[in-house]
Amino acid sequence: MAEKKATTKKAAEVKETKVAAKKSTTAKKAAPKAAAKATVAVNAENIGFKAGDVYQVLAAAEKALAVKEIAKAAKISEEETLLGLGWLFKEGKLLSTEDNKVVLA
């Protein structure tokens, strides 16, 4: 009987070890996804460069574009696009249209 309890106890310990190992592997897999999210450096120099990217896309398009369209064409995130748009709006270089699109002034 004592032998059976010892075997059951060992089996439980092995099971706990496997569960702990599985949890640690799952945590390691989840970490890179969180780290992969890009961050936007909010400083005058970076925002100025993004404004230039936005301006170049709008100048090349010669028509009103939505934020998503600008971001895709400039190959920057929507957040960076919005920062660039803010810069250009402040300088008076842009006009907005009724359908939430942006065009050069």
Side-chain angles (χ1 to χ4, degrees):
M1 185 76 145
E3 215 173 281
K4 193 172 189 178
K5 284 184 181 180
T7 306
T8 307
K9 190 174 182 180
K10 269 193 175 181
E13 288 175 1
V14 169
K15 187 175 180 181
E16 286 177 20
T17 305
K18 286 181 180 178
V19 170
K22 191 173 187 179
K23 284 182 181 178
S24 110
T25 304
T26 305
K28 287 179 184 175
K29 288 181 183 176
K33 289 181 183 178
K37 187 172 182 172
T39 58
V40 179
V42 181
N43 59 49
E45 183 178 13
N46 188 42
I47 296 170
F49 284 124
K50 300 310 173 191
D53 295 341
V54 170
Y55 190 90
Q56 292 297 324
V57 167
L58 289 169
E62 297 179 351
K63 65 177 184 174
L65 296 175
V67 173
K68 283 187 177 187
E69 295 170 322
I70 297 168
K72 185 176 179 182
K75 298 178 184 165
I76 58 177
S77 70
E78 287 185 35
E79 290 83 6
E80 292 170 322
T81 303
L82 291 170
L83 288 169
L85 288 171
W87 180 293
L88 294 170
F89 270 116
K90 180 72 175 167
E91 289 185 346
K93 306 246 183 209
L94 300 178
L95 299 172
S96 65
T97 63
E98 291 178 16
D99 55 350
N100 290 330
K101 293 190 177 186
V102 182
V103 67
L104 293 177

